[in-house]
Structures are given as C-alpha cells and as structure tokens.
Amino acid sequence: ISLASGNVAPYVGPSDITMMPSVTDVAGLNRISRVILGNAARAIAGMAKAAPEAAGDGRPAVGLTMFGVTTPCVTRLTDRLGAEVDPIVFHATGTGGQAMEKLVDSGMISSVIDTTTTEICDLLFGGILAATEDRLGAIARTGIPYVGSCGALDMVNFGPRSSVPDRYAHRQFYQHNPQITLMRTTPDECRQMGEWIGARLNACKGPVRFLLPEGGVSMLDAPGMPFELIDARSALFAALEATVEQTPDRRLIRLPHNINDEAFSDALYTHWKEIA
C-alpha cells in the first residue's frame, strides 16, 4: 500500500507482517508499479516456497523481556535457560510486550520471566514505547507461571530532547543518543506504577513471583549512576507491597541486589524453576 513508508504500527502491531510501499498510487499499472508489484509477488512466492515445515524444537518456550539497561541480567538468564527451554527474548519497546503476550494467549509460550516492565512507564506518563492497558492481561487470562521484576521502571522514553512535552521541562533527563531521551521517574510516578502493576498481579490466578531489586532497577539506577534515586525505588516497592494481595502462590520478594547483579539473575532463575 502507499502508506507503507509511514507509521504502519496500527496495521502491523505485534505481528510479523511484511509491508512493501507501492511508491506510486495503485491506480492502474505503470513502469514503476509493474516492477514494484512484481517484486512483491516474487517475495511472496519465495517465502511460501521456503516456508519451514515446523516451528520449535520440542522444548517449552519461555518469554523474557529485555531493554538495553537490563541486558546483562537477561543475557545471563538466556544462557542458563538455553539447555532446558527455548528462551524467546522480546525488546521492551511497547510492541515487544504486546508480541510476547499475544504468543502467551495463543499457547506458544508456557511461562514468562518478565524482567523488564518498563513499557508501563511510557503507558502511564506519555512515553513513546508504551504498553497497552492490557499489559499483563494474557498472564491473568492464561494463568501461566510468571516471574516478574521492575526492570527500567526508572525511565520514560522520549525522542529527541525537543520532543519532550513542555510539562516535563524541569525534570531530570539522560540523553541516550540524539534520537532517544530518557526521563527519570519521580517517587510519585513510581508509586502510581507500583499500584498499577500490583492491581494486575492480583488478577493473576496462576503462580506469580515478583522480585524487587533493592540495589536498583537498571544500569542507570545504581550507585553513582545518573538515575540513582533511592526515594523513588522505595516508593515503588512500598506501593507494590501495599497493593499486592500476597498468597502462597502470589509473592513479592525483596533482594539486596541491582537488577543486573549475577545474584539477582540467579534468583529469577531459581524462582522460575520453582513454579514453571
């Protein structure tokens, strides 16, 4: 279609749809459209001819969420999980979380280690990598084993610095690169996130373990790093503990580690192993 070179997120969503812009309008054939439509037809034929016979290798699939600032944690997990399951990592960019939960709903993922819940920051506070209101909905609907954490809940993502809404002009920022600006979440925002996540964890009927890294929720929220803010972290954890209705199957676990510490990664694995 002629719109395929623009914002196609509403059309593609979390699916693996391939789109090819038509360049010219689809109003009869011409020397340009003949070539482009011919290329599209050959691409379709090639994909159909080379389609794999079956997906997967017999191992159960585990969904994991990762962001740049939680990469060490998730990389250790995938290395350790690889011998037992098929670890499928999703980039927590809004569509990443949606794709993971769509596969959970479809039965293709049997458990989740949701280390990086950062898409909720952008949903609640206007960032560009937002989850939908259905984040954690598939976990509640299916009841699959769920281990989660607070990965990158210290940041809201915006584009270039000039794109940050005026209402946030006074806030603390970190320029990840010229195209990405990170805004540190405040204690009040962290409280709101804790309540939002807690309410959704309460709706989950399957086994739930949600781990709280007291040493920081990202690379930037660590001793001496730009987003270290103990008050914000404390507000997040306190809101979760006040909201989550803990039971033997639904537990919050505090750990004295940064999310990227090896001991924290080990704890995620241990709790997943207990409930998966």
Side-chain angles (χ1 to χ4, degrees):
I1 62 172
S2 56
L3 293 175
S5 61
N7 178 14
V8 297
Y11 305 104
V12 177
S15 301
D16 61 338
I17 295 172
T18 298
M19 303 185 79
M20 181 181 289
S22 62
V23 181
T24 66
D25 204 347
V26 185
L29 295 174
N30 56 60
R31 69 184 66 189
I32 305 299
S33 62
R34 283 189 179 93
V35 173
I36 292 169
L37 294 174
N39 286 339
R42 285 185 287 274
I44 293 169
M47 285 188 283
K49 184 176 181 179
E53 292 184 4
D57 56 10
R59 294 175 297 166
V62 177
L64 302 99
T65 50
M66 186 170 78
F67 216 39
V69 292
T70 62
T71 295
C73 175
V74 180
T75 299
R76 282 192 212 96
L77 271 172
T78 56
D79 288 346
R80 190 167 185 181
L81 289 166
E84 305 173 46
V85 298
D86 186 11
I88 304 176
V89 179
F90 298 86
H91 196 191
T93 57
T95 53
Q98 292 174 53
M100 180 181 74
E101 296 210 34
K102 184 173 182 178
L103 291 170
V104 169
D105 271 330
S106 71
M108 295 184 70
I109 289 178
S110 59
S111 62
V112 165
I113 306 178
D114 195 8
T115 308
T116 312
T117 44
T118 186
E119 296 159 323
I120 294 165
C121 297
D122 288 31
L123 169 66
L124 297 183
F125 308 115
I128 62 172
L129 304 179
T132 70
E133 288 286 345
D134 194 44
R135 188 69 165 87
L136 297 177
I139 310 302
R141 286 187 291 273
T142 61
I144 67 168
Y146 175 85
V147 177
S149 190
C150 309
L153 290 183
D154 55 333
M155 58 187 66
V156 181
N157 294 267
F158 294 104
R161 182 66 178 83
S162 60
S163 71
V164 177
D166 290 343
R167 69 183 183 275
Y168 292 138
H170 64 289
R171 298 286 294 275
Q172 179 187 0
F173 297 98
Y174 180 84
Q175 201 70 43
H176 178 65
N177 60 44
Q179 287 74 45
I180 297 293
T181 305
L182 309 177
M183 181 180 76
R184 198 354 166 155
T185 47
T186 66
D188 184 61
E189 289 167 346
C190 286
R191 175 190 58 77
Q192 293 178 59
M193 287 189 289
E195 292 171 352
W196 195 97
I197 293 169
R200 279 144 184 83
L201 294 180
N202 288 340
C204 297
K205 305 308 179 187
V208 169
R209 302 290 184 270
F210 201 83
L211 278 56
L212 312 180
E214 294 178 325
V217 301
S218 82
M219 285 181 180
L220 293 179
D221 179 30
M225 297 301 288
F227 278 4
E228 182 186 22
L229 188 58
I230 295 172
D231 288 349
R233 209 183 302 151
S234 298
L236 172 66
F237 298 164
L240 280 161
E241 290 174 331
T243 305
V244 173
E245 299 165 0
Q246 296 200 57
T247 69
D249 270 347
R250 183 189 305 118
R251 294 172 49 203
L252 298 175
I253 299 103
R254 281 185 179 253
L255 293 165
H257 311 298
N258 181 274
I259 198 165
N260 289 304
D261 289 348
E262 185 173 354
F264 193 82
S265 178
D266 289 345
L268 287 166
Y269 173 85
T270 298
H271 285 283
W272 169 80
K273 192 73 173 174
E274 288 177 357
I275 64 175

